[in-house]
Structures are given as C-alpha cells and as structure tokens.
Amino acid sequence: MNHLRRLAALLLILSAVLHPATAQTKKWLTRGEKFHATIMNDGHPIKAAFNVWSGKEQWVSLGIGEYGQPAIDTLTAGRLVLPDSITGPDGRRYRLKGLARASLAHCSRLSEVVLPDSLTDIGDQAFIGCTGLRQVVLPPALYVIYPFAFRGCTHLNTILCRCKERPRTYNDIFDEHTLQTALLVVPAGATAEYANSLVFGMFRYRMENYE
C-alpha cells in the first residue's frame, strides 16, 4: 500500500514538472508589449499589429501608436472587421478597447471598417488619409475621439453614432468638406446634445436615428 502511495506522489510531481504553466499561472503581458494576431478582411484572414494597454485587465489597442507604422498593410482593400477581442500570445483573450495613433493611416483602399462594440478610444490620426472610407459607425461604448482621427477621409458621407453618451472630442477631427457634406446620424432624442458639441455641432446635415 505504501508503495502505491509513493508511486502516486511521484506521478503528481512528474506531471507538475512536465506541465508547469496553465492559463492561471502564465505571466501576464505588460503594458506596451506588441504582438500580431489575425483579423478578417473581406472574409480572408490577415495579420494585424496590437499593443497591450493593460495585461491584467486584458485590454489591447489596434496598432502600435507610431505614425508611419500602421497596424495592417496599407494596400489592404475592401471591408475590414475588427473583433471585440483577440487571442494574445499567452493564450488569453484580450478586449479591443482602442485604435492607436495612426493605426489605419493611409489605408486608402478600405471601403468599410467595422468597429467593435467594445471600442472606447479612437486615437489621433487613426483613419487619416483613408480616402476610400464612405461610412463610419461609432460604437456604443465610444468615449473619446482624438484630433485628426478622420482627416483626409475625402469620401466620407455618413457618420452613424450609436454611442450611449456623446463622445468627448477634440478640434480638427473631420475635414471641412466632411462637415459640410456628410450626414451625421445621432441617437433618438440626442439632437440637442450633439448640436451643442464643438465638433458634432459643426455638421451641416444632422438627423436622428429612429430605429
């Protein structure tokens, strides 16, 4: 009997040595760590760069936050779908909370970018020079849009805002051409709130979304 107990103990020790890491014991990714993961473009997987905001809170942003180094190939065309979460190199799922600075800058062949409901921040120059972009849907959790986010989006004709609360904004987010020609669609009952905004109030054409 003692022999069997000793054998069982040895087997447990051996298992611990061979399998030391689990999802609970793996080291957290740290703020600023960068990695690549797969997202979908026109139904096909492509590689995109991500940057860790917070390891323990499991938040990441698309892009590394440096101008001239977009998150994807600038020749990427068509419809780009950004997921609510992606798998990091440690095997954990990370919520996509932000678009880093210049993350999609000059991706002029993109016609549509689907933003996830988890998104809270759109960084400065995130979409600058995306001349093929025609519509943007701002997700419910969006909290802030930084300067120049949509500058140079010369064909942008509709901004549909699904935000639960009006996002914080800075000057120079949109071109003057966009402010004069594009349609801003705001949540039902929020026309006055958006009209009083320094940025959204400059849109010539506004309407409420009654769906």
Side-chain angles (χ1 to χ4, degrees):
M1 183 63 70
N2 288 337
H3 175 73
L4 291 175
R5 289 176 179 172
R6 285 196 294 270
L7 180 59
L10 286 172
L11 289 173
L12 286 174
I13 294 171
L14 181 61
S15 176
V17 170
L18 293 176
H19 306 285
T22 66
Q24 288 71 38
T25 60
K26 285 180 182 177
K27 187 178 179 181
W28 292 101
L29 297 182
T30 58
R31 183 178 177 86
E33 281 193 59
K34 301 168 179 62
F35 63 91
H36 284 81
T38 299
I39 59 177
M40 301 303 292
N41 169 229
D42 272 349
H44 303 286
I46 62 169
K47 289 292 184 182
F50 292 87
N51 186 28
V52 178
W53 276 15
S54 172
K56 287 190 176 182
E57 294 182 32
Q58 295 176 256
W59 294 354
V60 295
S61 63
L62 176 73
I64 64 173
E66 296 182 18
Y67 193 78
Q69 298 187 45
I72 61 173
D73 189 326
T74 55
L75 295 179
T76 303
R79 185 175 190 261
L80 184 70
V81 178
L82 301 181
D84 281 296
S85 63
I86 51 93
T87 302
D90 58 355
R92 294 187 178 93
R93 296 293 293 180
Y94 286 83
R95 297 278 286 175
L96 180 56
K97 301 282 280 186
L99 303 183
R101 182 176 189 258
S103 52
L104 296 172
H106 303 293
C107 293
S108 59
R109 299 177 65 184
L110 287 176
S111 58
E112 181 183 2
V113 178
V114 179
L115 302 176
D117 286 354
S118 59
L119 198 75
T120 61
D121 292 38
I122 296 179
D124 61 292
Q125 306 178 68
F127 291 95
I128 195 168
C130 289
T131 54
L133 195 63
R134 297 184 178 276
Q135 174 179 291
V136 62
V137 179
L138 303 179
L142 187 64
Y143 175 73
V144 62
I145 307 174
Y146 286 97
F148 309 108
F150 294 96
R151 293 299 292 266
C153 297
T154 52
H155 288 87
L156 188 59
N157 57 40
T158 307
I159 297 92
L160 175 59
C161 189
R162 297 174 53 228
C163 308
K164 295 177 181 177
E165 297 182 8
R166 191 189 73 198
R168 289 178 52 195
T169 53
Y170 292 81
N171 290 332
D172 300 316
I173 290 174
F174 300 98
D175 288 338
E176 182 64 25
H177 174 77
T178 301
L179 295 173
Q180 293 300 316
T181 63
L183 174 64
L184 173 67
V185 183
V186 303
T191 295
E193 181 183 1
Y194 278 79
N196 292 328
S197 164
L198 182 63
V199 172
F200 293 118
M202 296 176 68
F203 276 86
R204 183 178 181 183
Y205 302 105
R206 295 189 299 271
M207 66 173 288
E208 291 189 10
N209 181 10
Y210 292 99
E211 294 183 357

